[in-house]
Amino acid sequence: MADDLGKLYRGLEGAVNEKTHKLQHANQSLQVLYKSSQELTATRISHENFRAILSYIHSVEGITAVELQVTEVEARLGLRMKESSMVTLNA
């Protein structure tokens, strides 16, 4: 009986650790979104803003390359223009 309780306890402990890890990652993702939102709304949008956001994402997520797409819609002509560029961050 003690062995069964030990197995159940270890299983529960493993599940709690896994859930804690997932919650910590979700919290980091929310922090990235919040900081990015602040960076984009607090100042005039510039290349430096995007570089700061990408550097922060790199530090949290370990991402080394990002494709940034800027889309503008020209309402009166019904045209859609898309500009795409690849930004590589040095690890």
Side-chain angles (χ1 to χ4, degrees):
M1 175 122 150
D3 287 340
D4 291 337
L5 287 176
K7 288 178 184 177
L8 289 173
Y9 180 77
R10 285 187 296 277
L12 181 59
E13 190 175 66
V16 168
N17 288 337
E18 182 180 341
K19 186 68 172 178
T20 299
H21 178 72
K22 287 181 180 180
L23 287 171
Q24 287 172 336
H25 188 267
N27 187 41
Q28 284 181 331
S29 296
L30 287 173
Q31 287 175 355
V32 167
L33 291 173
Y34 178 72
K35 185 169 182 169
S36 299
S37 175
Q38 282 186 316
E39 185 73 30
L40 291 172
T41 57
T43 60
R44 192 176 171 124
I45 297 174
S46 68
H47 183 266
E48 290 78 25
N49 296 112
F50 287 115
R51 175 66 59 188
I53 291 168
L54 294 175
S55 294
Y56 185 68
I57 292 171
H58 171 70
S59 71
V60 172
E61 299 291 338
I63 296 171
T64 57
V66 171
E67 183 178 19
L68 176 63
Q69 292 187 357
V70 179
T71 304
E72 292 183 36
V73 177
E74 180 63 45
R76 73 189 156 149
L77 296 178
L79 298 175
R80 186 174 183 173
M81 300 169 54
K82 185 162 88 173
E83 179 183 333
S84 178
S85 62
M86 181 68 77
V87 176
T88 303
L89 300 174
N90 296 327

